[in-house]
Amino acid sequence: GAVVSQHPSRVICKSGTSVKIECRSLDFQATTMFWYRQFPKQSLMLMATSNEGSKATYEQGVEKDKFLINHASLTLSTLTVTSAHPEDSSFYICSARRGRLDGYTFGSGTRLTVV
Amino acid sequence: DQQVKQNSPSLSVQEGRISILNCDYTNSMFDYFLWYKKYPAEGPTFLISISSIKDKNEDGRFTVFLNKSAKHLSLHIVPSQPGDSAVYFCAATSNSGYALNFGKGTSLLVTP
């Protein structure tokens, strides 16, 4: 089946630094990938839609200059949290869809802690 | 604005009994619904889905029911097993294939 690999699974960084999270579709090409964020006991909230070869589409309230998304190839999208602050600490998950509507596959997530 | 709602944050069921997880949605454009199972610090894994042209879909112990007029769907797990203990997310999308809209999840605990 479709596999989406997300790295790192866990990262701790200092305030003010930037962190890059990678999302790779291992056995299929994904022209579109999605980035979600989950707070404790909350829903997965869509942050942005990553489109290969073009600019990402950000949801309302998501700062595009803070959460930089790059989708340079059909198998790789990256999310960079710039100038991270403690309030950016969260669980970030990427997703890619392969074919059918039930073909959404999720990465294993990245737990970001900003100290 | 939460377009997919799961109003029960948690549910406890005895092993062998039926687990019923509920989900409501507000956007009438949604026409495809999915259930995901999620463990802590992991990404969601797909369980079962249903299209709006159906009112029931069954896969082994899992059945999803859709009531379009009520904008309500439910996931039935029969019989429930301890390994089913996890957080279950309801998600909705449209056939245009945009991103999924998730509910807040229901934490299911199946006790022996």
Side-chain angles (χ1 to χ4, degrees):
Chain A
V3 177
V4 172
S5 175
Q6 185 174 344
H7 293 281
S9 58
R10 185 182 295 267
V11 58
I12 301 173
C13 70
K14 291 184 177 179
S15 279
T17 61
S18 296
V19 173
K20 181 186 282 189
I21 302 169
E22 292 190 348
C23 181
R24 294 180 184 273
S25 56
L26 297 185
D27 54 353
F28 67 103
Q29 294 182 333
T31 55
T32 303
M33 290 186 177
F34 306 96
W35 287 96
Y36 293 85
R37 179 175 181 177
Q38 184 187 24
F39 292 104
K41 298 187 179 181
Q42 294 292 317
S43 177
L44 284 79
M45 300 300 297
L46 179 67
M47 297 175 64
T49 301
S50 171
N51 303 297
E52 187 269 337
S54 64
K55 291 183 179 180
T57 304
Y58 290 82
E59 295 300 300
Q60 192 173 11
V62 178
E63 300 176 56
K64 60 180 181 181
D65 293 330
K66 181 164 190 61
F67 298 99
L68 299 179
I69 291 173
N70 185 279
H71 195 154
S73 77
L74 287 170
T75 59
L76 175 63
S77 175
T78 60
L79 168 68
T80 301
V81 183
T82 62
S83 187
H85 288 104
E87 57 264 31
D88 298 324
S89 298
S90 190
F91 192 61
Y92 295 86
I93 308 175
C94 70
S95 171
R97 181 188 146 204
R98 182 181 193 178
R100 303 168 358 162
L101 284 171
D102 61 0
Y104 289 94
T105 302
F106 288 83
S108 54
T110 298
R111 169 69 62 190
L112 171 64
T113 303
V114 184
V115 298
Chain B
D1 183 30
Q2 197 80 20
Q3 297 183 72
V4 178
K5 300 177 182 179
Q6 292 175 258
N7 292 320
S8 297
S10 63
L11 174 68
S12 184
V13 172
Q14 225 172 2
E15 182 179 6
R17 300 288 187 102
I18 183 172
S19 296
I20 300 177
L21 296 91
N22 294 303
C23 177
D24 298 289
Y25 61 97
T26 58
N27 191 335
S28 56
M29 298 299 292
F30 290 148
D31 52 17
Y32 199 81
F33 307 90
L34 309 92
W35 284 94
Y36 286 84
K37 182 178 179 179
K38 185 181 182 298
Y39 294 109
E42 293 185 9
T45 53
F46 172 75
L47 265 180
I48 192 169
S49 62
I50 188 167
S51 165
S52 60
I53 62 173
K54 293 185 176 181
D55 54 20
K56 177 183 174 181
N57 189 24
E58 192 172 351
D59 184 2
R61 295 186 298 115
F62 302 92
T63 303
V64 55
F65 294 92
L66 175 62
N67 183 333
K68 278 182 61 179
S69 60
K71 293 191 176 68
H72 176 83
L73 62 153
S74 61
L75 173 68
H76 292 211
I77 306 174
V78 181
S80 302
Q81 299 173 353
D84 296 329
S85 299
V87 178
Y88 289 79
F89 285 94
C90 171
T93 186
S94 67
N95 264 313
S96 59
Y98 194 57
L100 299 175
N101 290 267
F102 285 90
K104 288 188 176 181
T106 296
S107 178
L108 173 66
L109 176 64
V110 180
T111 57

